[in-house]
Amino acid sequence: AQSVAQPEDQVNVAEGNPLTVKCTYSVSGNPYLFWYVQYPNRGLQFLLKYITGDNLVKGSYGFEAEFNKSQTSFHLKKPSALVSDSALYFCAVRDDSGAGSYQLTFGKGTKLSVIP
Amino acid sequence: SQTIHQWPATLVQPVGSPLSLECTVEGTSNPNLYWYRQAAGRGLQLLFYSVGIGQISSEVPQNLSASRPQDRQFILSSKKLLLSDSGFYLCAWSVRTGGQSFGEAFFGQGTRLTVV
């Protein structure tokens, strides 16, 4: 079975400072990893993904994430946080083995607050 | 380009009443379709997914059912709503290639269901 852990319910960061939102995963096969952002009462917006290749993935709005296979992690990062980045962030994983490829499993989400 | 439509945006229903939420996708063919529920603004729980017309997989036993009468239409239903069915329901789709799906999912704007 596949699973995702986001160990922090909330992350607070000052505007202009770098931000990191943590994610670890567990899969049987190879992972396909994703980050999404959700604003209040809205659907999830796709930010970036790791399928294969370079471990550092760049996505929308200046976000990037680093895939670390040995630590089974896929942390989301941004060099300089904006107040408008304040939202709920979800990490998700697909497992490339068997039926797991159809299922996109999400973490519980991390609320990011960027303080002016 | 592809778009996903989900309606209604909000719904207040009495306990014991029926439910029908509809989701349609435009601009793609043969997508994987998903229904998720998000409780208390946090983690997403996969309720159903479908890899083709009439093919529905249920992830959790519950008071809900899903149907896929057309390739790009996915419907979430209940015969009798319970208080515990309240939540934020999200429809999503992803590309299916070669019988599997490794890419990201794209989400609708969600339906806020309140059972009273």
Side-chain angles (χ1 to χ4, degrees):
Chain A
Q2 57 200 54
S3 65
V4 176
Q6 293 182 242
E8 302 154 316
D9 283 344
Q10 177 144 0
V11 170
N12 298 320
V13 63
E15 186 177 23
N17 282 3
L19 69 87
T20 299
V21 183
K22 296 179 180 178
C23 171
T24 59
Y25 66 89
S26 175
V27 295
S28 301
N30 293 311
Y32 298 93
L33 295 155
F34 309 87
W35 276 101
Y36 288 82
V37 61
Q38 185 183 32
Y39 296 97
N41 294 311
R42 304 299 298 274
L44 276 68
Q45 297 179 31
F46 169 71
L47 282 178
L48 52 80
K49 65 182 176 184
Y50 171 83
I51 302 297
T52 187
D54 194 345
N55 289 344
L56 183 63
V57 178
K58 295 188 183 295
S60 306
Y61 312 118
F63 284 95
E64 59 188 29
E66 187 166 10
F67 171 63
N68 187 316
K69 188 173 183 178
S70 63
Q71 296 184 9
T72 61
S73 66
F74 189 57
H75 301 331
L76 181 70
K77 300 181 180 184
K78 187 173 182 180
S80 178
L82 301 173
V83 173
S84 57
D85 293 331
S86 299
L88 190 56
Y89 290 81
F90 289 96
C91 182
V93 67
R94 286 191 195 277
D95 185 336
D96 78 340
S97 60
S101 70
Y102 294 117
Q103 300 172 22
L104 191 59
T105 299
F106 286 82
K108 292 187 180 301
T110 298
K111 183 178 180 181
L112 173 67
S113 293
V114 180
I115 303 163
Chain B
S1 63
Q2 301 90 356
T3 56
I4 179 169
H5 302 281
Q6 185 182 343
W7 67 93
T10 60
L11 191 59
V12 179
Q13 292 284 97
V15 168
S17 64
L19 173 73
S20 181
L21 303 181
E22 189 163 343
C23 172
T24 59
V25 181
E26 297 178 356
T28 189
S29 296
N30 205 25
N32 290 328
L33 295 172
Y34 307 85
W35 279 110
Y36 285 87
R37 177 167 60 198
Q38 185 178 25
R42 279 294 178 159
L44 280 76
Q45 179 186 36
L46 179 62
L47 301 176
F48 302 95
Y49 69 90
S50 171
V51 300
I53 295 174
Q55 300 178 64
I56 310 294
S57 295
S58 174
E59 290 302 299
V60 293
Q62 58 204 317
N63 186 41
L64 302 168
S65 62
S67 61
R68 184 171 178 173
Q70 301 179 43
D71 181 45
R72 291 169 289 176
Q73 184 184 27
F74 206 26
I75 298 171
L76 183 70
S77 303
S78 173
K79 292 182 179 178
K80 290 185 178 182
L81 283 169
L82 306 172
L83 287 173
S84 58
D85 292 324
S86 293
F88 193 50
Y89 289 83
L90 291 157
C91 180
W93 73 274
S94 66
V95 173
R96 181 154 54 95
T97 303
Q100 297 216 332
S101 176
F102 302 123
E104 64 272 29
F106 300 95
F107 284 79
Q109 291 304 298
T111 296
R112 173 75 59 192
L113 172 66
T114 304
V115 182
V116 296

